[in-house]
Amino acid sequence: MARIIVVTSGKGGVGKTTTSASFAVGLAQRGYKTVVIDFDVGLRNLDLIMGCERRVVYDFVNVINNEANLNQTLIRDKRVENLYILPASQTRDKEALTRDGVERVLNELKQSFDYIVCDSPAGIEHGAFMAMYHADEALIVTNPEVSSVRDSDRILGILSSRSRRAERGEEPVKEHLVLSRYAPERADRGDMLSVDDVLEILGIPLLGVIPESQSVLQSSNAGAPIIMDGDTEAGMAYSDMVARFLGEDRPHRFITAEKKGFFKRFFGN
Amino acid sequence: MGLLDYFRSTQSRRTNSAAVAKERLQILVAHDRGSRRDSPDYLPALKQELLDVVRKYVAIEQDQVKVHLDRDGDYEVLELNITLPDEPRPVR
């Protein structure tokens, strides 16, 4: 049975699309047939992060309006098997994502995919609501920063009251915290909320901590999700995150500051 | 991290802005959750109507009626607290 996972946050710029892309790649690498959908109608970006922007012909709204079918619209990733991208439309009105239309497309995707990853737009408007409404599980992407944590808490409130599962009184949406752009040395210094601080405030299970890393920008420059670069800390952190999601027991890495020796401490590096 | 940075970071450990952030967030989140969970839309109207009914018989102030909804698992407890004045004076 296909699982629908929304990647959401409330606040913009925290790493939703980066996380959606790497998460979807990670699931596909492990052999699960995965589709990642861009719900950010009007401001599509997932195609850029996935490096398939020049292969977009039709989009999500075309499928909803029956102007194209899924086979014509889905973009098959050339690097990873089992991975498909459903791009958002760039020009149309946000209301084009109707609840019935989205549901019909998701039901069709459920027939042939193991995981459906929904990359939510920022905010709590229609697009974000459509992305989370049908979800079975949610990755809440949060930065260790006051406005991001507060927005995440509001999103958790909406998930628990207005999702389809909530409306139908079914088992609640399973929530996972993804703490991104984390800088352990700053947290140690008391300049940044620590992993424990954020966990205590939000009270949901921790799926992964992604360290702040220059390589994330390099990977989006190149259109290759960071998880594909297994030499980077952020890439390794995303691989761990996917493994944990699939039930493996992996200790968290990159959450404590690297111990610096006497010389480094006094003379810099 | 150089020598200067080392001393700077020792100093910032004393200020600890993360602790301030955490405290502010805990208060804020508790407040947000409180207003989300404990006050359904109808609560203010319910309170006003209760006040109107009580005022038919006893003169009381706005803040002498308190309405509070608590949720505990499957239970919802609607708590009404109406404080009558020491010397109730009938409205008529």
Side-chain angles (χ1 to χ4, degrees):
Chain A
M1 184 62 189
R3 295 288 282 175
I4 302 177
I5 301 127
V6 62
V7 179
T8 183
S9 71
K11 192 174 182 297
V14 296
K16 279 183 299 295
T17 301
T18 300
T19 299
S20 301
S22 280
F23 183 60
V25 169
L27 291 170
Q29 280 173 337
R30 285 161 167 270
Y32 294 99
K33 201 171 172 202
T34 304
V35 57
V36 54
I37 309 176
D38 191 348
F39 272 79
D40 204 345
V41 169
L43 293 171
R44 87 170 169 229
N45 276 318
L46 179 69
D47 53 338
L48 264 179
I49 301 299
M50 295 295 299
C52 64
E53 70 277 8
R54 295 174 62 181
R55 297 170 61 207
V56 176
V57 180
Y58 296 110
D59 60 56
F60 195 9
V61 172
N62 291 138
V63 182
I64 286 176
N65 294 341
N66 291 313
E67 294 155 358
N69 65 36
L70 272 174
N71 282 336
Q72 296 170 297
T73 310
L74 287 175
I75 303 171
R76 192 177 63 82
D77 192 279
K78 286 181 171 169
R79 302 154 296 196
V80 188
E81 246 187 282
N82 302 313
L83 180 60
Y84 293 79
I85 297 114
L86 181 53
S89 127
Q90 228 170 355
T91 50
R92 304 195 195 208
D93 170 27
K94 284 183 172 27
E95 304 295 318
L97 292 181
T98 59
R99 193 184 296 205
D100 290 346
V102 171
E103 186 166 359
R104 183 174 55 77
V105 175
L106 289 175
N107 282 339
E108 200 177 329
L109 289 169
K110 272 183 176 180
Q111 305 302 315
S112 48
F113 284 93
D114 298 313
Y115 289 106
I116 301 169
V117 179
C118 303
D119 181 21
S120 169
I124 47 177
E125 302 298 313
H126 183 73
F129 182 66
M130 280 301 111
M132 74 171 74
Y133 182 74
H134 300 90
D136 300 308
E137 307 195 32
L139 306 191
I140 312 293
V141 184
T142 306
N143 290 169
E145 180 268 324
V146 283
S147 52
S148 173
V149 174
R150 183 196 202 179
D151 288 358
S152 294
D153 187 67
R154 294 212 51 200
I155 289 291
L156 288 169
I158 296 171
L159 275 170
S160 67
S161 62
R162 292 181 57 200
S163 63
R164 190 187 53 151
R165 281 174 172 267
E167 278 183 5
R168 295 186 181 175
E170 295 169 359
E171 196 186 321
V173 177
K174 193 172 175 193
E175 301 152 342
H176 307 271
L177 178 65
V178 178
L179 190 60
S180 64
R181 309 197 71 164
Y182 191 64
E185 33 334 305
R186 301 194 67 190
D188 277 6
R189 259 184 275 153
D191 292 346
M192 181 182 266
L193 289 164
S194 69
V195 177
D196 290 338
D197 290 340
V198 179
L199 282 176
E200 198 181 320
I201 294 161
L202 292 180
I204 60 170
L206 180 67
L207 185 66
V209 178
I210 314 302
E212 169 82 57
S213 160
Q214 313 228 339
S215 38
V216 173
L217 180 60
Q218 288 162 357
S219 89
S220 58
N221 287 343
I226 185 75
I227 196 171
M228 290 177 174
D229 189 347
D231 295 332
T232 62
E233 290 194 349
M236 289 187 260
Y238 274 120
S239 296
D240 286 355
M241 185 190 95
V242 172
R244 276 185 218 110
F245 182 85
L246 295 170
E248 279 177 43
D249 190 22
R250 291 261 180 118
H252 289 279
R253 297 190 272 179
F254 320 117
I255 58 172
T256 49
E258 197 186 322
K259 288 277 185 295
K260 287 192 170 168
F262 178 83
F263 282 100
K264 266 195 177 174
R265 193 182 268 266
F266 279 90
F267 300 105
N269 46 2
Chain B
M1 194 194 286
L3 189 58
L4 267 177
D5 291 331
Y6 179 71
F7 285 113
R8 250 184 236 130
S9 75
T10 323
Q11 206 171 27
S12 69
R13 199 173 290 144
R14 250 174 270 140
T15 49
N16 204 339
S17 64
V20 177
K22 185 183 178 187
E23 196 186 326
R24 289 174 63 211
L25 273 170
Q26 278 173 325
I27 293 167
L28 197 61
V29 162
H31 181 263
D32 283 354
R33 286 182 190 166
S35 54
R36 208 159 56 216
R37 294 198 186 135
D38 297 343
S39 343
D41 301 345
Y42 60 78
L43 227 52
L46 176 73
K47 183 179 169 180
Q48 188 55 49
E49 283 179 37
L50 281 168
L51 197 64
D52 293 343
V53 171
V54 177
R55 274 181 178 165
K56 276 188 187 169
Y57 306 96
V58 190
I60 57 167
E61 296 297 323
Q62 188 91 27
D63 60 1
Q64 286 176 292
V65 171
K66 291 203 169 64
V67 181
H68 188 71
L69 188 69
D70 256 332
R71 269 179 210 162
D72 185 14
D74 292 341
Y75 294 93
E76 284 186 19
V77 178
L78 181 65
E79 188 184 305
L80 300 179
N81 202 333
I82 303 172
T83 315
L84 295 176
D86 291 339
E87 289 172 32
R89 51 194 168 84
V91 173
R92 263 167 294 150

